[in-house]
Amino acid sequence: MNITLEQAEKIIEVAKEKSISLNTKMNISVVDTGANLLAFVRMDGAWLGSADISIKKAKTARFFDMNTGAIGELSQPGGPLFNIEHSNNGLISFPGGVPIKNKKGEIIGAIGVSGSSVENDHAVALAGSLAL
Amino acid sequence: MNITLEQAEKIIEVAKEKSISLNTKMNISVVDTGANLLAFVRMDGAWLGSADISIKKAKTARFFDMNTGAIGELSQPGGPLFNIEHSNNGLISFPGGVPIKNKKGEIIGAIGVSGSSVENDHAVALAGSLAL
Amino acid sequence: MNITLEQAEKIIEVAKEKSISLNTKMNISVVDTGANLLAFVRMDGAWLGSADISIKKAKTARFFDMNTGAIGELSQPGGPLFNIEHSNNGLISFPGGVPIKNKKGEIIGAIGVSGSSVENDHAVALAGSLAL
Amino acid sequence: MNITLEQAEKIIEVAKEKSISLNTKMNISVVDTGANLLAFVRMDGAWLGSADISIKKAKTARFFDMNTGAIGELSQPGGPLFNIEHSNNGLISFPGGVPIKNKKGEIIGAIGVSGSSVENDHAVALAGSLAL
């Protein structure tokens, strides 16, 4: 099972709506089961630097099948995964990346969102991840 | 003047329709005036390796404000721009990248398409570039 | 609106004067609205390694439309943006990068300065950013 | 002996004048004896993609103490330096990079110019290299 572009577009649509409801401007990425980029949008006026971050968040969430924030808890100084961000051409380990599951609960991809506080980034990613 | 996400989404929609009419599966990228990624889609079943190529085509077309194929004619062995592809973290200099102009004729971004023959890639990019 | 080279040269001139007044030797970069390099100088005797830092500071300030030091406050261990520096081919998140605004208050680029203490780097960048 | 920023600024000024006289818009870079970037300007409206090319041309000219075009003659298929462009994070081996000498004839840096035909690029670089 892999995510389709139609599903990714639905996810992005829901994420954009959530972003607007939070009065934010986001970069939104969706990757597939292979952690390869499937769809991306940068909302008008969103930070330029958040494009790469949103892609890396989506990849990171699929690389390890967990929310990106969970990795960041382990990658702190003294933690078991300290500086894991150096791998895979750069991980992002703070909130905003969330796995995407199908109705059976199988992971079929991930969404990454960047452009506001990490709380907002996560809220938008979570909304998108639940769109299907 | 810079391209908007709404314009980019319209361009991608037209490009997807053109791709379907040619019975192809494409990766389609749109960059803005600063050559920064604005929107991207990979159609279901399209080559994974063409995602990066489509992004690089769009960037290349905006970097030099011309169709990517025009650069490739100059970058051949013995040509005046031989191996220009080594610049800018990698250019793509075969057809499939086309500048996007507004109604005044000003360049506001570029589209890059990859996933089939270069003739088809160019045809889809051209269709997208004329969508506005 | 985008910054012009004439504006960038004025900004660099003011930044150089500020640097001399502080008895420092700086690398000074200006990027445009697309975060693309527009102008750069390395003052005689300035650190070689600060050239790349000044460019990355300017890019970082434009990527997120804020002073680079504001990002560094959030990217510390335990902070919400820990290790954000791994994105965008390398951010610099300590002081010395400042957005540049036009008279309407619109961001039209950014300046990045490196070569001394972060306090001096920021003071020079700030002086440059206010030159227009 | 190393080039000074004042000398680099003089070189860039002459190169800009030559560029204007040729009705072109150029990216102009100067590197020092260590092949490290010393000064850079992108003239308004010049190609975005030529910034990196102008820097690589200047570096290439200093890396090998010869005009970049001379390397391109040797890097063709079947030539002795085929694909040397893969080294040093990317060389540019077509015309537009020229060493800079002091009055004793010692090489003190190099200039790289990109933004038009290679003939124009070289003409502007040559004019700049002779400015001292």
Side-chain angles (χ1 to χ4, degrees):
Chain A
M1 279 295 296
N2 203 346
I3 190 170
T4 67
L5 178 56
E6 189 178 347
Q7 290 176 311
E9 290 173 328
K10 174 66 177 170
I11 288 164
I12 285 179
E13 198 54 40
V14 169
K16 282 204 290 186
E17 288 167 11
K18 181 69 175 180
S19 174
I20 291 168
S21 78
L22 292 171
N23 199 28
T24 60
K25 298 167 180 174
M26 296 296 196
N27 288 261
I28 307 166
S29 299
V30 174
V31 299
D32 65 9
T33 54
N36 295 300
L37 189 63
L38 178 55
F40 168 83
V41 300
R42 174 159 48 87
M43 294 170 69
D44 294 334
W47 289 326
L48 289 177
S50 282
D52 185 56
I53 293 174
S54 78
I55 294 172
K56 283 182 164 55
K57 281 182 179 176
K59 286 179 177 281
T60 300
R62 172 54 187 148
F63 282 155
F64 303 104
D65 289 342
M66 62 182 78
N67 290 357
T68 49
I71 297 167
E73 293 177 12
L74 303 172
S75 69
Q76 299 296 316
L81 304 183
F82 177 53
N83 269 346
I84 191 176
E85 295 84 0
H86 286 268
S87 69
N88 296 287
N89 287 323
L91 299 178
I92 293 293
S93 60
F94 46 82
V98 175
I100 298 167
K101 297 178 182 178
N102 64 14
K103 292 180 180 174
K104 293 180 185 172
E106 299 162 331
I107 292 177
I108 57 173
I111 180 173
V113 175
S114 180
S116 178
S117 68
V118 293
E119 290 79 12
N120 283 337
D121 291 355
H122 177 70
V124 171
L126 187 64
S129 75
L130 300 175
L132 298 184
Chain B
M1 281 297 296
N2 203 345
I3 191 171
T4 65
L5 177 56
E6 188 178 347
Q7 289 176 313
E9 289 173 330
K10 173 70 177 168
I11 287 164
I12 285 178
E13 197 54 41
V14 170
K16 282 202 294 186
E17 288 167 10
K18 182 68 175 179
S19 175
I20 291 167
S21 79
L22 293 171
N23 199 28
T24 60
K25 297 166 180 174
M26 296 296 195
N27 289 261
I28 306 166
S29 300
V30 174
V31 299
D32 65 11
T33 54
N36 294 302
L37 189 63
L38 180 55
F40 168 83
V41 300
R42 173 159 49 86
M43 293 170 70
D44 294 334
W47 290 326
L48 290 178
S50 282
D52 185 55
I53 293 174
S54 78
I55 294 172
K56 283 184 164 58
K57 283 182 178 176
K59 286 178 178 280
T60 300
R62 173 53 186 150
F63 281 154
F64 303 103
D65 290 341
M66 63 181 76
N67 291 355
T68 50
I71 296 167
E73 293 178 12
L74 302 171
S75 68
Q76 299 298 315
L81 304 184
F82 177 56
N83 266 348
I84 191 175
E85 294 84 359
H86 287 267
S87 70
N88 295 287
N89 288 322
L91 300 177
I92 293 295
S93 60
F94 47 81
V98 175
I100 298 167
K101 297 178 180 177
N102 64 15
K103 292 181 180 174
K104 293 179 184 171
E106 300 162 333
I107 293 177
I108 58 173
I111 180 173
V113 175
S114 180
S116 177
S117 68
V118 293
E119 290 78 11
N120 283 338
D121 290 355
H122 176 70
V124 171
L126 187 63
S129 75
L130 300 174
L132 299 183
Chain C
M1 281 296 295
N2 203 344
I3 191 170
T4 66
L5 177 55
E6 188 178 346
Q7 290 176 313
E9 289 172 330
K10 174 69 177 169
I11 288 164
I12 285 178
E13 197 55 40
V14 170
K16 281 202 293 186
E17 288 167 10
K18 181 68 175 180
S19 175
I20 291 168
S21 79
L22 292 172
N23 199 29
T24 60
K25 299 166 179 174
M26 296 296 196
N27 288 261
I28 307 166
S29 299
V30 174
V31 299
D32 65 10
T33 54
N36 294 301
L37 189 63
L38 179 54
F40 168 84
V41 300
R42 173 159 49 87
M43 293 170 71
D44 296 333
W47 290 326
L48 289 178
S50 282
D52 185 55
I53 293 174
S54 78
I55 294 172
K56 283 184 165 56
K57 282 182 179 176
K59 286 178 177 281
T60 300
R62 172 54 186 149
F63 281 154
F64 303 103
D65 291 342
M66 64 181 77
N67 292 356
T68 49
I71 297 166
E73 293 178 12
L74 302 171
S75 68
Q76 299 298 314
L81 305 183
F82 178 55
N83 267 346
I84 190 175
E85 295 82 359
H86 287 267
S87 70
N88 295 286
N89 288 321
L91 300 178
I92 293 294
S93 60
F94 47 81
V98 175
I100 297 166
K101 298 179 182 178
N102 64 15
K103 291 180 181 175
K104 292 179 186 172
E106 300 162 333
I107 293 176
I108 58 173
I111 180 173
V113 175
S114 180
S116 178
S117 67
V118 293
E119 290 79 11
N120 283 338
D121 290 355
H122 177 69
V124 171
L126 186 64
S129 75
L130 299 175
L132 299 184
Chain D
M1 281 296 296
N2 202 346
I3 191 171
T4 65
L5 177 56
E6 189 178 346
Q7 289 176 313
E9 289 173 329
K10 173 68 177 169
I11 288 164
I12 285 178
E13 197 54 42
V14 170
K16 282 203 292 186
E17 288 167 11
K18 181 69 175 179
S19 174
I20 292 167
S21 78
L22 292 170
N23 200 26
T24 59
K25 297 167 181 175
M26 296 297 195
N27 289 261
I28 307 167
S29 299
V30 174
V31 298
D32 65 10
T33 54
N36 295 299
L37 189 63
L38 179 55
F40 167 83
V41 299
R42 172 158 49 86
M43 294 171 69
D44 294 335
W47 288 325
L48 289 177
S50 282
D52 185 57
I53 293 175
S54 78
I55 294 172
K56 284 184 164 56
K57 282 182 179 177
K59 286 178 177 280
T60 300
R62 173 54 188 148
F63 282 154
F64 303 104
D65 289 342
M66 64 182 76
N67 290 356
T68 49
I71 296 167
E73 293 178 12
L74 303 172
S75 68
Q76 299 297 317
L81 304 183
F82 177 54
N83 268 348
I84 190 175
E85 294 85 359
H86 285 268
S87 69
N88 296 287
N89 287 322
L91 299 178
I92 292 294
S93 61
F94 47 82
V98 175
I100 297 167
K101 297 178 182 178
N102 64 14
K103 292 181 180 173
K104 293 180 184 171
E106 299 162 332
I107 292 176
I108 57 173
I111 180 173
V113 175
S114 180
S116 178
S117 68
V118 293
E119 291 79 11
N120 282 339
D121 290 355
H122 176 71
V124 171
L126 187 63
S129 75
L130 299 174
L132 299 184

